Amino acid sequence: MRRPSTLEVDLHVHSEASYDGHEPVDLILEHAADIDLDAVVITDHDTIGASVEAADKAADYGLVGVPGVEISTAEGHLLGIGIEDMPAPGRPMAETVEAVRELGGAAVVPHPFQRTRHGVRKRRLKRVDPDAIETYNAWLFTGYRNRRARRYASKYGYPAVGGSDAHSLLTVGRAYTELTVDKPISEIDSDDIVSAITNGDTGVRGQRAPIKRAAGHYAKAAARKTAWGVRTALEKSVWGAKRTGSVVMSR
């Protein structure tokens, strides 16, 4: 008899490919693995190339590869989890939800009701039937919007998920979704993650971590980012030296 696996997945992370992101894909994957996440979904704004790249590379870091994107709809933002093609932005949210499903993904409403961050308004969300609601977004400054989202999901029977909405390495994994899948973790793929979301086999983890744990998390992220920067600078320096040398020799 197979035992179900429990995975910790950050469903909402931005890379440097997003207009408001800062981190390269490899650095995000490396850090996600180091803080014991099982998967991280790159959900850049209206661009999906870096996310597909991250999903392809995920196994190299011991992670499950799950592509995704944050889509700008006419009513607000929408996450497409588990898709490799970019739905057209700017369409009504209800149409975009269907487009995500047709592509084999899960349509998740992020940070609802927060108008300053393009969250869909409640009266408009009632016209939409998404697959899940993000009830814990770690980017929010207070818990009020998260509590509203949680009440809405509970009232209307939507699965609840959590995500860090990280735009820098320091906040990756601050909130995540706990997913239950009836497979060994070595056999789990993106489709299984999508099914777990749509089936409601989810748990939200986003409470404030103890100070000691949080301090360790941020220190680790800061050290990794510094090391990455130094390594990248050295690689560029070596490449530049080789290129200069080749130019000199060609003369």
Side-chain angles (χ1 to χ4, degrees):
M1 181 178 178
R2 295 192 305 183
R3 292 186 177 182
S5 298
T6 300
L7 294 85
E8 296 177 352
V9 182
D10 191 342
L11 293 170
H12 192 173
V13 174
H14 298 276
S15 79
E16 63 183 1
S18 190
Y19 70 85
D20 54 355
H22 305 287
E23 315 295 0
V25 159
D26 288 279
L27 184 55
I28 294 171
L29 294 171
E30 182 180 313
H31 185 65
D34 193 57
I35 61 175
D36 296 324
L37 290 174
D38 296 294
V40 60
V41 187
I42 304 298
T43 52
D44 293 325
H45 291 285
D46 298 325
T47 181
I48 202 167
S51 186
V52 173
E53 177 191 351
D56 289 341
K57 291 181 174 181
D60 296 337
Y61 295 87
L63 303 170
V64 179
V66 186
V69 65
E70 186 163 6
I71 311 151
S72 300
T73 80
E75 286 79 35
H77 288 175
L78 180 75
L79 300 180
I81 306 297
I83 61 175
E84 295 185 344
D85 295 310
M86 175 69 210
R91 293 191 296 176
M93 183 174 284
E95 289 184 14
T96 312
V97 166
E98 291 306 315
V100 169
R101 288 178 180 147
E102 289 174 4
L103 291 168
V108 178
V109 175
H111 45 71
F113 318 134
Q114 189 174 8
R115 293 169 59 186
T116 57
R117 298 183 61 233
H118 307 286
V120 61
R121 297 185 185 185
K122 185 176 181 179
R123 62 183 175 84
R124 292 181 176 174
L125 182 54
K126 287 182 177 181
R127 305 170 191 167
V128 181
D129 185 28
D131 294 307
I133 302 289
E134 185 182 69
T135 64
Y136 197 99
N137 180 293
W139 188 255
L140 301 183
F141 292 107
T142 71
Y144 172 65
R145 303 294 184 189
N146 283 332
R147 289 193 296 272
R148 281 192 67 193
R150 187 167 62 247
R151 288 195 298 268
Y152 186 93
S154 177
K155 180 177 179 179
Y156 294 100
Y158 288 110
V161 302
S164 66
D165 199 358
H167 293 71
S168 67
L169 198 66
L170 296 176
T171 50
V172 172
R174 271 185 62 182
Y176 59 89
T177 304
E178 198 172 75
L179 298 169
T180 302
V181 178
D182 191 23
K183 282 184 179 181
I185 193 166
S186 60
E187 299 178 8
I188 293 172
D189 60 18
S190 179
D191 290 340
D192 296 312
I193 301 298
V194 169
S195 295
I197 293 171
T198 57
N199 292 337
D201 298 325
T202 64
V204 177
R205 300 290 179 263
Q207 300 301 318
R208 291 188 179 182
I211 293 176
K212 183 177 180 181
R213 180 181 174 188
H217 177 96
Y218 295 139
K220 188 178 292 186
R224 173 163 288 105
K225 187 169 182 179
T226 299
W228 181 277
V230 171
R231 187 161 69 244
T232 301
L234 287 173
E235 289 173 353
K236 288 181 178 179
S237 177
V238 170
W239 181 86
K242 288 181 177 179
R243 184 172 181 273
T244 301
S246 66
V247 171
V248 172
M249 290 175 63
S250 67
R251 291 176 181 174

